[in-house]
Amino acid sequence: MATTDRQATTLALAHALSAAERGLAVIPLSRTKLPALRSPHRDAPVPAPCHGECGRLGHGVHDASSDPARIRELFAAAPWATGYGIACGLPPHHLIGLDLDVKTGTDSSAALRELALRHLFTIPPTVVIVTPSGGRHLWLSGPSEVVVPNSAGRLAPGIDIRGAGGYLVGPGSRTGQGVYAAAPGTAHLAPAPCPRSLLRLL
């Protein structure tokens, strides 16, 4: 039986709360993978550089929380949400996401292996999320004193980095392309520490 939007929202909230139990801060996402709540400043003549200081919801990743009550509030304000995003760069994990894309016609996994050989690092066992298109998101943890920026294709073709101010689509999220899911044998793992030689490249 097809999953209805209401069921998808209920499932997304359940998955988001489960992620929060692991210390991950989350926000509701729409089927387009964008934050489900629109900016409260969208109609302002000049968009305000607000990160939530106004006290209203709708500031994207800046709304992210690991507090169950806050998460329920976010999802209650976005009953159309069918997924959730996990904020990167926040304690306790200081999450870094390696987004290995397959849609660009490049072999991003091979590119990562080449980088690993050239710079002498190994990706340790960690959480791996499989995307509907067949790509993979590798979750790594970074040191608290390092701010990793977001980038697209800078590390290598087909490899995007999700760092501070970015987010990863959480497992169990339902999008217009399909469902994000943890790769077998990785869901129970904690984000592994990012190898130092890789961290220097980010």
Side-chain angles (χ1 to χ4, degrees), residues 104-173:
T104 58
T106 59
D107 190 339
S108 54
S109 293
L112 182 60
R113 288 194 296 271
E114 183 180 336
L115 279 172
L117 287 171
R118 190 188 315 154
H119 296 279
L120 304 176
F121 66 82
T122 301
I123 300 293
T126 193
V127 181
V128 178
I129 306 302
V130 180
T131 74
S133 64
R136 294 183 300 148
H137 293 169
L138 311 184
W139 293 12
L140 299 172
S141 64
S144 59
E145 69 275 11
V146 176
V147 177
V148 174
N150 296 283
S151 64
R154 185 177 64 81
L155 181 64
I159 301 179
D160 297 341
I161 302 300
R162 301 286 179 260
Y167 62 87
L168 292 163
V169 179
S173 293

Side-chain angles (χ1 to χ4, degrees), residues 20-183:
E21 290 178 357
R22 301 175 66 178
L24 299 167
V26 300
I27 55 170
L29 299 181
S30 69
R31 283 189 180 273
T32 63
K33 301 184 291 185
L34 294 175
L37 292 169
R38 297 179 66 190
S39 169
H41 311 294
R42 62 185 178 276
D43 295 325
V46 179
C50 180
H51 293 162
E53 296 87 354
C54 67
R56 291 179 286 177
L57 303 178
H59 296 85
V61 73
H62 301 289
D63 287 342
S65 177
S66 58
D67 176 69
R70 179 66 167 178
I71 294 167
R72 288 189 174 91
E73 179 186 4
L74 288 166
F75 273 83
W80 51 86
T82 60
Y84 65 104
I86 297 172
C88 295
L90 299 180
H93 300 291
H94 302 281
L95 194 63
I96 301 167
L98 270 62
D99 181 351
L100 306 183
D101 202 353
V102 296
K103 293 180 291 188
T104 58
T106 59
D107 190 339
S108 54
S109 293
L112 182 60
R113 288 194 296 271
E114 183 180 336
L115 279 172
L117 287 171
R118 190 188 315 154
H119 296 279
L120 304 176
F121 66 82
T122 301
I123 300 293
T126 193
V127 181
V128 178
I129 306 302
V130 180
T131 74
S133 64
R136 294 183 300 148
H137 293 169
L138 311 184
W139 293 12
L140 299 172
S141 64
S144 59
E145 69 275 11
V146 176
V147 177
V148 174
N150 296 283
S151 64
R154 185 177 64 81
L155 181 64
I159 301 179
D160 297 341
I161 302 300
R162 301 286 179 260
Y167 62 87
L168 292 163
V169 179
S173 293
R174 184 172 295 274
T175 70
Q177 290 72 45
V179 179
Y180 284 67

